[in-house]
Amino acid sequence: MAAGTIRYWAAAKAAAGVAEEPYTADNLAEALQAVRLNHPGELVLVLRRCSFLVDGAPVGTRGHETVRLAEGGTVEVLPPFAGG
């Protein structure tokens, strides 16, 4: 299992109540499942609308179980942003 950091932005940060926290997971699906278990409620709903960057690369439409996480990596949780 890889260990790294999950960073929350905007509405995800507000719903999580923290700006970042550690993860221990092999892939993005496992990391997000742990987040859902640790933060039941509003964050679970916010995650449905989020996009994700893993080590700076967009996840896009790839299955989260196929996105491997690296030791010391970073997952960015990005809710939709308003503005222009």
PDB file of all heavy atoms in Angstrom, residues 1-3 6 8 10 17-19 28 31 33-34 36-37 41-42 45 49 51 54 57 61 64 71 77 79-80 84:
ATOM      1  N   MET A   1       0.837  -1.184   0.000  1.00  0.00           N
ATOM      2  CA  MET A   1       0.000   0.000   0.000  1.00  0.00           C
ATOM      3  C   MET A   1       0.877   1.241   0.000  1.00  0.00           C
ATOM      4  O   MET A   1       1.892   1.294   0.659  1.00  0.00           O
ATOM      5  CB  MET A   1      -0.881   0.022   1.238  1.00  0.00           C
ATOM      6  CG  MET A   1      -1.944  -1.017   1.257  1.00  0.00           C
ATOM      7  SD  MET A   1      -3.492  -0.229   1.599  1.00  0.00           S
ATOM      8  CE  MET A   1      -4.533  -1.624   1.414  1.00  0.00           C
ATOM      9  N   ALA A   2       0.426   2.225  -0.738  1.00  0.00           N
ATOM     10  CA  ALA A   2       1.133   3.493  -0.806  1.00  0.00           C
ATOM     11  C   ALA A   2       0.551   4.456   0.222  1.00  0.00           C
ATOM     12  O   ALA A   2      -0.637   4.419   0.529  1.00  0.00           O
ATOM     13  CB  ALA A   2       1.001   4.082  -2.203  1.00  0.00           C
ATOM     14  N   ALA A   3       1.382   5.330   0.732  1.00  0.00           N
ATOM     15  CA  ALA A   3       0.947   6.376   1.657  1.00  0.00           C
ATOM     16  C   ALA A   3       1.228   7.726   1.020  1.00  0.00           C
ATOM     17  O   ALA A   3       2.273   7.929   0.404  1.00  0.00           O
ATOM     18  CB  ALA A   3       1.683   6.247   2.981  1.00  0.00           C
ATOM     19  N   ILE A   6      -4.116  13.457   0.702  1.00  0.00           N
ATOM     20  CA  ILE A   6      -5.310  13.908  -0.013  1.00  0.00           C
ATOM     21  C   ILE A   6      -5.518  15.364   0.357  1.00  0.00           C
ATOM     22  O   ILE A   6      -5.529  15.708   1.548  1.00  0.00           O
ATOM     23  CB  ILE A   6      -6.557  13.091   0.375  1.00  0.00           C
ATOM     24  CG1 ILE A   6      -6.383  11.632  -0.037  1.00  0.00           C
ATOM     25  CG2 ILE A   6      -7.817  13.692  -0.263  1.00  0.00           C
ATOM     26  CD1 ILE A   6      -7.548  10.744   0.350  1.00  0.00           C
ATOM     27  N   TYR A   8      -8.053  18.661  -0.062  1.00  0.00           N
ATOM     28  CA  TYR A   8      -9.427  19.058  -0.378  1.00  0.00           C
ATOM     29  C   TYR A   8      -9.465  20.542  -0.711  1.00  0.00           C
ATOM     30  O   TYR A   8      -8.795  21.346  -0.071  1.00  0.00           O
ATOM     31  CB  TYR A   8     -10.336  18.800   0.826  1.00  0.00           C
ATOM     32  CG  TYR A   8     -10.366  17.368   1.278  1.00  0.00           C
ATOM     33  CD1 TYR A   8      -9.671  16.965   2.413  1.00  0.00           C
ATOM     34  CD2 TYR A   8     -11.083  16.418   0.574  1.00  0.00           C
ATOM     35  CE1 TYR A   8      -9.695  15.646   2.837  1.00  0.00           C
ATOM     36  CE2 TYR A   8     -11.115  15.092   0.989  1.00  0.00           C
ATOM     37  CZ  TYR A   8     -10.420  14.726   2.118  1.00  0.00           C
ATOM     38  OH  TYR A   8     -10.452  13.414   2.523  1.00  0.00           O
ATOM     39  N   ALA A  10     -12.091  23.993  -1.709  1.00  0.00           N
ATOM     40  CA  ALA A  10     -13.402  24.652  -1.726  1.00  0.00           C
ATOM     41  C   ALA A  10     -14.453  23.860  -0.935  1.00  0.00           C
ATOM     42  O   ALA A  10     -14.255  23.601   0.248  1.00  0.00           O
ATOM     43  CB  ALA A  10     -13.829  24.923  -3.165  1.00  0.00           C
ATOM     44  N   GLY A  17     -13.842  19.280   6.667  1.00  0.00           N
ATOM     45  CA  GLY A  17     -13.419  19.932   7.900  1.00  0.00           C
ATOM     46  C   GLY A  17     -11.911  20.004   8.066  1.00  0.00           C
ATOM     47  O   GLY A  17     -11.412  20.432   9.100  1.00  0.00           O
ATOM     48  N   VAL A  18     -11.185  19.596   7.038  1.00  0.00           N
ATOM     49  CA  VAL A  18      -9.722  19.669   7.032  1.00  0.00           C
ATOM     50  C   VAL A  18      -9.268  20.015   5.614  1.00  0.00           C
ATOM     51  O   VAL A  18      -9.971  19.729   4.641  1.00  0.00           O
ATOM     52  CB  VAL A  18      -9.053  18.346   7.482  1.00  0.00           C
ATOM     53  CG1 VAL A  18      -9.365  18.026   8.931  1.00  0.00           C
ATOM     54  CG2 VAL A  18      -9.450  17.192   6.585  1.00  0.00           C
ATOM     55  N   ALA A  19      -8.088  20.589   5.511  1.00  0.00           N
ATOM     56  CA  ALA A  19      -7.546  20.930   4.193  1.00  0.00           C
ATOM     57  C   ALA A  19      -6.873  19.731   3.538  1.00  0.00           C
ATOM     58  O   ALA A  19      -6.866  19.608   2.317  1.00  0.00           O
ATOM     59  CB  ALA A  19      -6.554  22.075   4.306  1.00  0.00           C
ATOM     60  N   LEU A  28      -7.002   4.867  -6.345  1.00  0.00           N
ATOM     61  CA  LEU A  28      -7.882   5.984  -5.993  1.00  0.00           C
ATOM     62  C   LEU A  28      -9.203   5.501  -5.415  1.00  0.00           C
ATOM     63  O   LEU A  28      -9.718   6.104  -4.471  1.00  0.00           O
ATOM     64  CB  LEU A  28      -8.110   6.866  -7.224  1.00  0.00           C
ATOM     65  CG  LEU A  28      -8.973   8.103  -7.009  1.00  0.00           C
ATOM     66  CD1 LEU A  28      -8.400   9.010  -5.928  1.00  0.00           C
ATOM     67  CD2 LEU A  28      -9.144   8.862  -8.329  1.00  0.00           C
ATOM     68  N   ALA A  31      -8.698   4.770  -1.745  1.00  0.00           N
ATOM     69  CA  ALA A  31      -8.504   6.002  -0.981  1.00  0.00           C
ATOM     70  C   ALA A  31      -9.831   6.727  -0.774  1.00  0.00           C
ATOM     71  O   ALA A  31     -10.128   7.198   0.326  1.00  0.00           O
ATOM     72  CB  ALA A  31      -7.507   6.911  -1.692  1.00  0.00           C
ATOM     73  N   GLN A  33     -12.835   5.404  -0.836  1.00  0.00           N
ATOM     74  CA  GLN A  33     -13.688   4.623   0.058  1.00  0.00           C
ATOM     75  C   GLN A  33     -13.337   4.928   1.517  1.00  0.00           C
ATOM     76  O   GLN A  33     -14.220   5.082   2.353  1.00  0.00           O
ATOM     77  CB  GLN A  33     -13.567   3.127  -0.230  1.00  0.00           C
ATOM     78  CG  GLN A  33     -14.460   2.271   0.639  1.00  0.00           C
ATOM     79  CD  GLN A  33     -15.947   2.606   0.498  1.00  0.00           C
ATOM     80  OE1 GLN A  33     -16.417   3.077  -0.531  1.00  0.00           O
ATOM     81  NE2 GLN A  33     -16.684   2.376   1.556  1.00  0.00           N
ATOM     82  N   ALA A  34     -12.069   5.033   1.815  1.00  0.00           N
ATOM     83  CA  ALA A  34     -11.645   5.380   3.174  1.00  0.00           C
ATOM     84  C   ALA A  34     -12.127   6.773   3.557  1.00  0.00           C
ATOM     85  O   ALA A  34     -12.571   6.995   4.688  1.00  0.00           O
ATOM     86  CB  ALA A  34     -10.126   5.281   3.291  1.00  0.00           C
ATOM     87  N   ARG A  36     -14.818   8.268   2.427  1.00  0.00           N
ATOM     88  CA  ARG A  36     -16.264   8.164   2.677  1.00  0.00           C
ATOM     89  C   ARG A  36     -16.560   7.574   4.060  1.00  0.00           C
ATOM     90  O   ARG A  36     -17.488   8.011   4.736  1.00  0.00           O
ATOM     91  CB  ARG A  36     -16.928   7.328   1.589  1.00  0.00           C
ATOM     92  CG  ARG A  36     -16.978   8.002   0.241  1.00  0.00           C
ATOM     93  CD  ARG A  36     -17.675   7.123  -0.809  1.00  0.00           C
ATOM     94  NE  ARG A  36     -17.497   7.662  -2.123  1.00  0.00           N
ATOM     95  CZ  ARG A  36     -16.576   7.253  -2.999  1.00  0.00           C
ATOM     96  NH1 ARG A  36     -15.755   6.262  -2.706  1.00  0.00           N
ATOM     97  NH2 ARG A  36     -16.487   7.823  -4.179  1.00  0.00           N
ATOM     98  N   LEU A  37     -15.786   6.594   4.477  1.00  0.00           N
ATOM     99  CA  LEU A  37     -15.983   5.989   5.795  1.00  0.00           C
ATOM    100  C   LEU A  37     -15.591   6.949   6.923  1.00  0.00           C
ATOM    101  O   LEU A  37     -16.241   6.987   7.966  1.00  0.00           O
ATOM    102  CB  LEU A  37     -15.182   4.692   5.901  1.00  0.00           C
ATOM    103  CG  LEU A  37     -15.655   3.546   5.017  1.00  0.00           C
ATOM    104  CD1 LEU A  37     -14.673   2.384   5.086  1.00  0.00           C
ATOM    105  CD2 LEU A  37     -17.054   3.094   5.405  1.00  0.00           C
ATOM    106  N   GLY A  41     -21.618  11.735   5.456  1.00  0.00           N
ATOM    107  CA  GLY A  41     -22.415  12.962   5.424  1.00  0.00           C
ATOM    108  C   GLY A  41     -22.135  13.796   4.193  1.00  0.00           C
ATOM    109  O   GLY A  41     -22.033  13.289   3.079  1.00  0.00           O
ATOM    110  N   GLU A  42     -21.951  15.083   4.412  1.00  0.00           N
ATOM    111  CA  GLU A  42     -21.854  16.055   3.319  1.00  0.00           C
ATOM    112  C   GLU A  42     -20.714  15.750   2.347  1.00  0.00           C
ATOM    113  O   GLU A  42     -20.875  15.885   1.134  1.00  0.00           O
ATOM    114  CB  GLU A  42     -21.687  17.464   3.884  1.00  0.00           C
ATOM    115  CG  GLU A  42     -21.663  18.557   2.834  1.00  0.00           C
ATOM    116  CD  GLU A  42     -22.959  18.708   2.052  1.00  0.00           C
ATOM    117  OE1 GLU A  42     -24.029  18.332   2.561  1.00  0.00           O
ATOM    118  OE2 GLU A  42     -22.909  19.224   0.921  1.00  0.00           O
ATOM    119  N   LEU A  45     -21.557  13.373  -0.428  1.00  0.00           N
ATOM    120  CA  LEU A  45     -22.338  14.003  -1.496  1.00  0.00           C
ATOM    121  C   LEU A  45     -21.465  14.881  -2.383  1.00  0.00           C
ATOM    122  O   LEU A  45     -21.599  14.874  -3.611  1.00  0.00           O
ATOM    123  CB  LEU A  45     -23.478  14.828  -0.898  1.00  0.00           C
ATOM    124  CG  LEU A  45     -24.479  14.046  -0.039  1.00  0.00           C
ATOM    125  CD1 LEU A  45     -25.469  14.994   0.626  1.00  0.00           C
ATOM    126  CD2 LEU A  45     -25.183  12.995  -0.861  1.00  0.00           C
ATOM    127  N   ARG A  49     -19.561  15.009  -7.170  1.00  0.00           N
ATOM    128  CA  ARG A  49     -19.444  16.074  -8.174  1.00  0.00           C
ATOM    129  C   ARG A  49     -18.003  16.481  -8.443  1.00  0.00           C
ATOM    130  O   ARG A  49     -17.743  17.356  -9.261  1.00  0.00           O
ATOM    131  CB  ARG A  49     -20.225  17.307  -7.695  1.00  0.00           C
ATOM    132  CG  ARG A  49     -21.696  17.056  -7.448  1.00  0.00           C
ATOM    133  CD  ARG A  49     -22.457  18.326  -7.086  1.00  0.00           C
ATOM    134  NE  ARG A  49     -21.793  19.180  -6.111  1.00  0.00           N
ATOM    135  CZ  ARG A  49     -22.065  19.209  -4.812  1.00  0.00           C
ATOM    136  NH1 ARG A  49     -22.965  18.420  -4.299  1.00  0.00           N
ATOM    137  NH2 ARG A  49     -21.419  20.035  -4.009  1.00  0.00           N
ATOM    138  N   SER A  51     -13.879  16.379  -9.376  1.00  0.00           N
ATOM    139  CA  SER A  51     -12.871  15.796 -10.262  1.00  0.00           C
ATOM    140  C   SER A  51     -11.616  15.616  -9.413  1.00  0.00           C
ATOM    141  O   SER A  51     -11.498  16.170  -8.313  1.00  0.00           O
ATOM    142  CB  SER A  51     -12.611  16.692 -11.470  1.00  0.00           C
ATOM    143  OG  SER A  51     -12.197  17.971 -11.066  1.00  0.00           O
ATOM    144  N   VAL A  54      -4.257  13.242  -9.640  1.00  0.00           N
ATOM    145  CA  VAL A  54      -3.341  12.362  -8.920  1.00  0.00           C
ATOM    146  C   VAL A  54      -1.934  12.723  -9.371  1.00  0.00           C
ATOM    147  O   VAL A  54      -1.607  12.596 -10.558  1.00  0.00           O
ATOM    148  CB  VAL A  54      -3.663  10.877  -9.175  1.00  0.00           C
ATOM    149  CG1 VAL A  54      -2.607   9.986  -8.550  1.00  0.00           C
ATOM    150  CG2 VAL A  54      -5.045  10.537  -8.627  1.00  0.00           C
ATOM    151  N   ALA A  57      -1.874  14.935 -12.419  1.00  0.00           N
ATOM    152  CA  ALA A  57      -2.490  14.470 -13.663  1.00  0.00           C
ATOM    153  C   ALA A  57      -3.993  14.266 -13.463  1.00  0.00           C
ATOM    154  O   ALA A  57      -4.406  13.616 -12.503  1.00  0.00           O
ATOM    155  CB  ALA A  57      -1.858  13.171 -14.119  1.00  0.00           C
ATOM    156  N   THR A  61     -12.212  10.398 -16.883  1.00  0.00           N
ATOM    157  CA  THR A  61     -13.253   9.368 -16.826  1.00  0.00           C
ATOM    158  C   THR A  61     -12.707   7.970 -16.533  1.00  0.00           C
ATOM    159  O   THR A  61     -13.467   7.004 -16.556  1.00  0.00           O
ATOM    160  CB  THR A  61     -14.042   9.333 -18.150  1.00  0.00           C
ATOM    161  OG1 THR A  61     -13.125   9.040 -19.219  1.00  0.00           O
ATOM    162  CG2 THR A  61     -14.745  10.652 -18.414  1.00  0.00           C
ATOM    163  N   HIS A  64     -11.749   4.663 -11.131  1.00  0.00           N
ATOM    164  CA  HIS A  64     -10.897   4.990  -9.993  1.00  0.00           C
ATOM    165  C   HIS A  64     -10.080   3.796  -9.522  1.00  0.00           C
ATOM    166  O   HIS A  64      -8.981   3.971  -8.991  1.00  0.00           O
ATOM    167  CB  HIS A  64     -11.741   5.558  -8.853  1.00  0.00           C
ATOM    168  CG  HIS A  64     -12.339   6.883  -9.190  1.00  0.00           C
ATOM    169  ND1 HIS A  64     -13.336   7.452  -8.460  1.00  0.00           N
ATOM    170  CD2 HIS A  64     -12.089   7.755 -10.203  1.00  0.00           C
ATOM    171  CE1 HIS A  64     -13.667   8.615  -8.984  1.00  0.00           C
ATOM    172  NE2 HIS A  64     -12.925   8.813 -10.049  1.00  0.00           N
ATOM    173  N   GLU A  71       3.707   6.018  -3.640  1.00  0.00           N
ATOM    174  CA  GLU A  71       4.226   6.362  -2.321  1.00  0.00           C
ATOM    175  C   GLU A  71       4.626   7.838  -2.328  1.00  0.00           C
ATOM    176  O   GLU A  71       5.319   8.306  -3.236  1.00  0.00           O
ATOM    177  CB  GLU A  71       5.443   5.485  -2.004  1.00  0.00           C
ATOM    178  CG  GLU A  71       6.024   5.712  -0.645  1.00  0.00           C
ATOM    179  CD  GLU A  71       5.110   5.266   0.495  1.00  0.00           C
ATOM    180  OE1 GLU A  71       4.299   4.325   0.313  1.00  0.00           O
ATOM    181  OE2 GLU A  71       5.217   5.865   1.576  1.00  0.00           O
ATOM    182  N   VAL A  77      -8.682  16.884  -4.544  1.00  0.00           N
ATOM    183  CA  VAL A  77     -10.131  16.721  -4.673  1.00  0.00           C
ATOM    184  C   VAL A  77     -10.706  18.089  -5.044  1.00  0.00           C
ATOM    185  O   VAL A  77     -10.676  19.029  -4.238  1.00  0.00           O
ATOM    186  CB  VAL A  77     -10.737  16.194  -3.356  1.00  0.00           C
ATOM    187  CG1 VAL A  77     -12.248  16.022  -3.492  1.00  0.00           C
ATOM    188  CG2 VAL A  77     -10.086  14.891  -2.949  1.00  0.00           C
ATOM    189  N   PRO A  79     -13.926  20.178  -6.304  1.00  0.00           N
ATOM    190  CA  PRO A  79     -15.334  20.323  -6.632  1.00  0.00           C
ATOM    191  C   PRO A  79     -15.503  21.286  -7.806  1.00  0.00           C
ATOM    192  O   PRO A  79     -14.555  22.026  -8.128  1.00  0.00           O
ATOM    193  CB  PRO A  79     -15.960  20.885  -5.367  1.00  0.00           C
ATOM    194  CG  PRO A  79     -14.849  21.394  -4.539  1.00  0.00           C
ATOM    195  CD  PRO A  79     -13.571  20.778  -5.035  1.00  0.00           C
ATOM    196  N   PRO A  80     -16.673  21.305  -8.427  1.00  0.00           N
ATOM    197  CA  PRO A  80     -16.884  22.275  -9.509  1.00  0.00           C
ATOM    198  C   PRO A  80     -16.718  23.696  -8.966  1.00  0.00           C
ATOM    199  O   PRO A  80     -17.164  23.996  -7.855  1.00  0.00           O
ATOM    200  CB  PRO A  80     -18.334  22.033  -9.937  1.00  0.00           C
ATOM    201  CG  PRO A  80     -18.684  20.695  -9.407  1.00  0.00           C
ATOM    202  CD  PRO A  80     -17.840  20.473  -8.192  1.00  0.00           C
ATOM    203  N   GLY A  84     -15.735  32.865 -13.816  1.00  0.00           N
ATOM    204  CA  GLY A  84     -15.345  32.899 -15.205  1.00  0.00           C
ATOM    205  C   GLY A  84     -13.961  33.327 -15.416  1.00  0.00           C
ATOM    206  O   GLY A  84     -13.090  33.365 -14.682  1.00  0.00           O
TER     207      GLY A  84
END
